[in-house]
Amino acid sequence: MSSETPAKSPEPEAKEERRRSTHEEPAKRSHHDDSDHKHSRRSKDDSKNGKRDTNGESSHRTSDRDRKRRDRSRSRTRSRSPKRSKRDRKDEKDQEEEDGEIRDTTPPVVEKPRELTARELERQRIIQEELKNGEVDEDGDEPVWSMKKAQAEKKSRTCPYLDTIDRSVLDFDFEKQCSVSLSHQNVYACMVCGKYFQGRGTNTHAYTHALETDHHVFLNLQTLKFYCLPDNYEVVDPSLEDIKYVLKPTYTKEMIGSIDKQARMVRAQDDSTYFPGVVGLNNIKANDYCNVILHALSAVRPLRNWFLKESNYLAVKRPPGDKLTLLPQRFGELIRKLWNPRALRTHVSPHEMLQAVVVCSNKKFQFIKQNDAYDFMLFLLTTLHTALNGSEKRESIISKTFRGRMREYSRKVIPAEDTEEEKYRKMHLPDYQEKVSEKPFLFLTLDLPAAPLYRDVQLQNIIPQVPLSTLLEKFDGKTEKEYRTYNDNIMKRYELLKLPEFLIISYKRFQKNQWFVEKNPTIVNFPIVNVDLYECLAEDVRAEHKYTTYDLVANVVHEGTFETGNYRIQIVHQGSGKWFELEDLHVKDMLPQMIVLAESYIQIWRLNKEKTRDERAEDDGEDQMETA
């Protein structure tokens, strides 16, 4: 028994030693995390199994896998630690190469300092000047060029982007609204591309446009102030005054008085020459009937001079929300642009004026549909007179310029089918007695003789001609004409009591029948100067009129049919005495002898006050004696 006991003792000792080593091994690796502990126990068990395994190659692969896992967990733990040894950094590099990650260990390249732009150099110079003058605190926390401080500055900064302004793309004739939001409030014009945008603060359309397109100079279309965006500071420079003048031309009393004395052509920004007041009007689609009337009224001296001074019609007070307030303002803007001596180009677009006409006429007169120039002239004169607070008793610049007075004699016509007794009875009734009335007029309408229905012997269409003196017999107080109404026929005759300073004459060329509008092509022969209306005056007022002769100022011509025809105008430039023909954008000079060859529709005549009628008669008598 004693001999067998020592033989069995090594087995419990081996078990006790393995159990002790098993308990001591976790204590040695106490600095690892829980995941390392699990991996170590799994590797321990695998090592035990590997010892039991008869295949040595599989145990070797398992031990390599366990070693890699331990190294990977150790690298993660050490990467979180601020202190790493050289071995840890080497293991981490090996692990990165194993995972396919390669770190760039090349030293960073030091960039060279870029050169300052002209704007930055200008900023530094201004800041240094302010520091020397004590205007800016050098130790201030707020940046010198912050947006809030730039907006609060009184003195404007010098802008280095003035050379980016392109005057060839600027056009202030169209409606002033934002091209993005279509708003009319706080609109700015880009001086580089000519587009309109709203606002200049952050997140506005103008601010965004400046950032996206690198356009920096903007003009407020209402306040006429220039700003540089996105820095948002005001720009004041004398070189920008010509742009302000194009947007809003202003005229002094001396300039207005010398307009008709200008005998030389002026040069526009696009290097073309023109006479102020003789410039083309853009035809948007079918607004030539409006263009000729606007040109004709702009040639009337007192009307032009009154609208060239903006304070005359801005002070007119109308009820709140009255749409007629817009018409005098737009008409005045157009007149000032037509007579601008420092224009960018030799034509003007009446877009804003036509928009006001559409609104005030309730879309009766539009620029996309052809209409009658006579009806438009009647609407424009009466609406302007009303918008300027004029009435029958209260005068305006319209009534002072064009209004005259006439006397009308009217009586009913006795029907021809009545018997002699009925005719005799009606002759003594008040309704069939002649009535006399006085009324004002803005223009005179002359009736043309009917065109012939048949051709002549040479199978050619006859173009009838009639002298102006024959048509003026309508107002001599003796010639009667029958006018038909729905119930009665009325005989009327007229005579003039007061001659206006500017006389408008229209020829009745269009007559509407049941199917279409028919045009009378009769040619009117007239002299362009010294048309005497003395015979048209009533005998009791002839002594009051010293001046009775008129000179032609504007002649509106219509060609073609009513639906497909077109209008053009012939006007005289007072300074040079030359005649010009304008058809939309086309302007050309012409001979005065060619005026009477066209189909005149509307004419404006100016009362000649250089010589009285008696002085003219004496001059004519002397000329006849010299000729004899």
Side-chain angles (χ1 to χ4, degrees), residues 5 49 79 98 129 244 256 306 311 316 334 339 348 381 394 418 454 463 468 498 516 605 619:
T5 302
N49 295 332
S79 62
E98 182 180 354
E129 290 181 357
K244 293 183 181 180
I256 296 175
W306 194 84
S311 59
V316 177
L334 181 62
W339 289 90
V348 178
L381 291 179
R394 186 174 182 179
D418 291 350
Y454 305 101
I463 300 178
L468 178 60
K498 179 184 177 181
F516 57 90
W605 299 78
D619 294 341

Side-chain angles (χ1 to χ4, degrees), residues 487-502:
N487 295 323
D488 303 313
N489 294 345
I490 301 176
M491 298 295 294
K492 294 183 179 181
R493 57 190 177 94
Y494 306 92
E495 59 183 2
L496 303 181
L497 299 177
K498 179 184 177 181
L499 296 178
E501 185 178 359
F502 281 81

Side-chain angles (χ1 to χ4, degrees), residues 476-493:
D476 60 359
K478 301 176 183 179
T479 305
E480 284 187 334
K481 186 177 180 181
E482 184 177 357
Y483 294 89
R484 296 182 180 180
T485 61
Y486 183 74
N487 295 323
D488 303 313
N489 294 345
I490 301 176
M491 298 295 294
K492 294 183 179 181
R493 57 190 177 94

Side-chain angles (χ1 to χ4, degrees), residues 486-551:
Y486 183 74
N487 295 323
D488 303 313
N489 294 345
I490 301 176
M491 298 295 294
K492 294 183 179 181
R493 57 190 177 94
Y494 306 92
E495 59 183 2
L496 303 181
L497 299 177
K498 179 184 177 181
L499 296 178
E501 185 178 359
F502 281 81
L503 177 64
I504 302 178
I505 294 179
S506 64
Y507 302 100
K508 195 173 183 180
R509 292 195 175 273
F510 300 105
Q511 186 175 2
K512 187 176 182 180
N513 53 28
Q514 296 180 356
W515 297 279
F516 57 90
V517 178
E518 187 178 4
K519 180 183 177 182
N520 191 332
T522 303
I523 300 296
V524 181
N525 296 325
F526 55 88
I528 62 175
V529 293
N530 298 334
V531 174
D532 197 353
L533 269 66
Y534 180 80
E535 298 296 333
C536 298
L537 290 172
E539 294 183 357
D540 54 341
V541 298
R542 289 180 179 179
E544 301 176 2
H545 291 76
K546 297 181 180 180
Y547 308 99
T548 58
T549 58
Y550 284 87
D551 298 337

Side-chain angles (χ1 to χ4, degrees), residues 4 81 89 96 272 331 357 373 415 472 513-514 577 621-622:
E4 293 178 358
S81 177
R89 289 194 295 271
E96 288 176 356
S272 58
F331 183 74
V357 168
L472 289 175
N513 53 28
Q514 296 180 356
E622 293 178 358

